[in-house]
Amino acid sequence: MAPKPLRCVLLGLAVAAALSWGDAQAKQWTRIRIASEGAYPPFNMLNADNQLEGFDVDVARAVCAAAKVTCEFVAQDWEGLIPALLAGKFDVVFASMSITDERRKVVAFSERYYASPALFVADKTSGLMDSSPRALTGRTLGAKSGTVNARYLEEVYAPAGAHVKLYATQEEANLDLSAGRLEAVLADKLVMLPWLKNAGDGDCCQVIGQDLADPAYFGEGVGAALRKQDADLKALIDGAIAQIRADGTYERINARYFPFSIY
């Protein structure tokens, strides 16, 4: 549980956010279509029944319960999330999408619901320990396409002489790393640390260098993406996020996946 002063602050934020719910509810947001990728464990993945689950999905379900709306979940590949959102195929994206100025040009974001730095994971046989652009000159580096990590590699490491390969999913990048086809991968710390610990998955590899969290590239945390014209829906979701943070629901979800706070 959060310390008492923090809980009081969060409760105050929840009350304040709730005051803005009236306008959102006035447009009758009783049913919301939510998309996630389904290929980014432990944040979103598909279970044996081909249903979405994971941290993003659990937070989204809690938001729906707090807002007292019915939610329908759909899986959408990463590259298609923003185009399909703008096309009206669904209303909100809960898919570990970083809040960046570049994305804000086309979509709106809720308040953040978690934050995580990026880091490099390297093949143990590569001899790499330093993750600076100079140290990775001539090396083959991987990242998930369309992410802040991909942009960082292309704009910071490629000009310094690194070879950058991009992948449709994080799993594909990790498989190439473990197979020795990449020398290092840049990805979300909260995704790579569990991968390294899972039986056999990360035996090949190790973290190198320091955490990366430059706001110019990695944004202000992770939020739900919405269409800009749906300000009423943003108010509804922001209010619900504040409520689950205040009443302990968020902490319980966090504890299912991580032994420390990721907010």
Side-chain angles (χ1 to χ4, degrees), residues 11 18 27-28 51 67 84 90-91 93 108 115 119 129 131-132 146 153 167 186 199 209 219 225 230 233 251 254:
L11 284 168
K27 285 201 175 183
Q28 301 300 313
Q51 299 298 306
F90 36 80
D91 305 304
V93 173
L119 51 68
M129 296 300 291
S131 64
S132 68
L153 288 185
Y167 296 82
L186 179 64
D230 290 337
L233 181 55
E251 289 177 272
N254 189 134

Side-chain angles (χ1 to χ4, degrees), residues 8-119:
C8 291
V9 170
L10 291 172
L11 284 168
L13 289 173
V15 170
L19 295 176
S20 67
W21 287 22
D23 289 340
Q25 292 168 334
K27 285 201 175 183
Q28 301 300 313
W29 283 103
T30 58
R31 189 173 190 85
I32 300 172
R33 297 164 298 167
I34 297 177
S36 196
E37 182 189 11
Y40 200 60
F43 290 96
N44 57 78
M45 54 268 193
L46 295 171
N47 62 22
D49 297 320
N50 212 35
Q51 299 298 306
L52 286 164
E53 62 181 20
F55 180 84
D56 290 320
V57 180
D58 285 355
V59 169
R61 292 189 191 282
V63 163
C64 293
K68 297 181 172 59
V69 295
T70 300
C71 288
E72 171 189 345
F73 288 82
V74 296
Q76 171 69 55
D77 67 272
W78 175 260
E79 294 284 2
L81 280 168
I82 288 180
L85 171 68
L86 297 178
K89 293 184 178 180
F90 36 80
D91 305 304
V92 189
V93 173
F94 275 86
S96 288
M97 190 171 287
S98 298
I99 303 167
T100 65
D101 289 340
E102 185 176 17
R103 288 182 178 139
R104 276 197 172 119
K105 293 175 183 176
V106 291
V107 298
F109 281 98
S110 71
E111 295 297 316
R112 72 178 172 94
Y113 62 90
Y114 84 85
S116 174
L119 51 68

Side-chain angles (χ1 to χ4, degrees), residues 199-221:
D201 285 351
D203 288 349
C204 62
C205 308
Q206 63 188 1
V207 173
I208 63 168
Q210 303 299 314
D211 291 355
L212 301 171
D214 182 350
Y217 285 95
F218 299 101
E220 306 159 22

